[in-house]
Amino acid sequence: MTQASICTIGDEILIGQIIDTNSSHISQALNTLGIKVTRMVSIGDDHNGIIDSLKEELSRNEIVIVTGGLGPTKDDITKNVLCEYFGTTLVEDKQVREHIYELYKDRPDALNRLTATQWLVPQAAEILPNRVGSAPIMVLEKEAKGERLKAKGKVLIAMPGVPHEMKIAMTEQVIPY
């Protein structure tokens, strides 16, 4: 049976500011696919904590789903940490950029330097569209001991942490993927 882990990222979860409903929704969706969720981990917006959790969860499971930390604020560091972990850099994604311009067409004042970081994605990622939000869904794999994780049946999927965006992303993109 395929095994998965869910990692929610954000200080707001750890301090009790918000309740993690994402893990429950993701777990239910994966269970309907016959994928066993072995662990749910919450991590703060902390570089070393995210790196350590990625290493641990990818060593244990074929699928690791990450939510959160993808927004356009200073504390959202997940994309940068993913780049470091997967040995890649951020690049502009033209389709994500066009989508963001479309999202903000009625609010041009919301397009700023921070918003522009949303169309920067890890070069090694396969990008899945997020039709309702600005944070793209990213699928990554990593070489381990000379083998590609995906070839061994392992993959990391990073999704937005906003619950309504995550639910749509899970239904429309992740499950079909």
Side-chain angles (χ1 to χ4, degrees):
M1 173 179 274
T2 301
Q3 295 184 341
S5 177
I6 301 165
C7 298
T8 54
I9 298 175
D11 291 339
E12 62 277 9
I13 295 168
L14 295 179
I15 64 171
Q17 185 178 1
I18 65 165
I19 296 171
D20 172 21
T21 57
N22 286 354
S23 292
S24 175
H25 182 82
I26 294 166
S27 182
Q28 289 173 11
L30 293 176
N31 279 307
T32 62
L33 297 172
I35 298 170
K36 180 181 179 182
V37 174
T38 62
R39 291 166 46 107
M40 294 177 187
V41 180
S42 292
I43 311 149
D45 294 305
D46 173 72
H47 175 273
N48 292 336
I50 296 169
I51 291 281
D52 291 345
S53 293
L54 293 178
K55 286 179 185 175
E56 179 70 21
E57 300 314 312
L58 282 168
S59 75
R60 293 174 175 249
N61 298 284
E62 292 86 2
I63 300 168
V64 174
I65 296 186
V66 174
T67 66
L70 302 176
T73 62
K74 287 182 186 180
D75 64 330
D76 288 323
I77 61 170
T78 302
K79 281 195 292 188
N80 289 322
V81 175
L82 289 174
C83 282
E84 179 183 330
Y85 184 76
F86 286 94
T88 190
T89 58
L90 289 173
V91 296
E92 182 178 315
D93 185 289
K94 184 181 176 188
Q95 289 179 321
V96 174
R97 183 180 186 158
E98 289 171 0
H99 169 70
I100 290 170
Y101 273 104
E102 182 63 26
L103 271 180
Y104 291 104
K105 69 180 178 191
D106 296 328
R107 300 179 320 178
D109 56 313
L111 282 170
N112 56 43
R113 249 186 32 219
L114 288 174
T115 310
T117 64
Q118 291 297 83
W119 57 69
L120 297 175
V121 298
Q123 186 172 25
E126 179 178 347
I127 305 303
L128 305 177
N130 172 4
R131 74 171 172 87
V132 295
S134 62
I137 304 151
M138 299 171 286
V139 180
L140 292 138
E141 59 179 283
K142 184 175 178 67
E143 292 187 23
K145 297 181 183 174
E147 296 184 51
R148 310 248 334 139
L149 287 179
K150 194 170 183 181
K152 292 168 54 176
K154 294 194 174 198
V155 66
L156 180 139
I157 301 170
M159 293 191 294
V162 178
H164 79 274
E165 287 184 38
M166 181 282 307
K167 287 177 183 176
I168 292 170
M170 191 73 188
T171 301
E172 294 181 357
Q173 299 295 337
V174 175
I175 290 173
Y177 179 86

